[in-house]
Amino acid sequence: MIFRRVKLEPETAFIGKKFAYIFIAIIFSLNALTFIWFFFFSKLN
C-alpha cells in the first residue's frame, strides 16, 4: 500500500501530508491538555 501511494503521488507530497497530520495532532493534543489543566485549576481555586 505504501509503495503504491509513493508511485501514484510524489514522495515529497506524501512526506508533507504525514508531517501535516503529525503537526495537527500535536497542536490538538496540546490544546486539549491546556483546557484540562485550566479546568482542574479552576476546580481547585
Side-chain angles (χ1 to χ4, degrees):
M1 282 179 84
I2 294 156
F3 290 109
R4 279 184 185 177
R5 271 187 183 180
V6 170
K7 275 180 183 177
L8 282 164
E9 59 185 46
E11 271 185 63
T12 49
F14 183 69
I15 292 155
K17 269 187 188 176
K18 247 190 180 178
F19 272 108
Y21 280 121
I22 292 157
F23 194 66
I24 290 157
I26 290 159
I27 291 160
F28 191 76
S29 59
L30 280 166
N31 281 327
L33 279 164
T34 48
F35 273 115
I36 292 155
W37 184 266
F38 279 115
F39 181 75
F40 273 113
F41 262 82
S42 65
K43 256 196 170 181
L44 284 161
N45 294 325

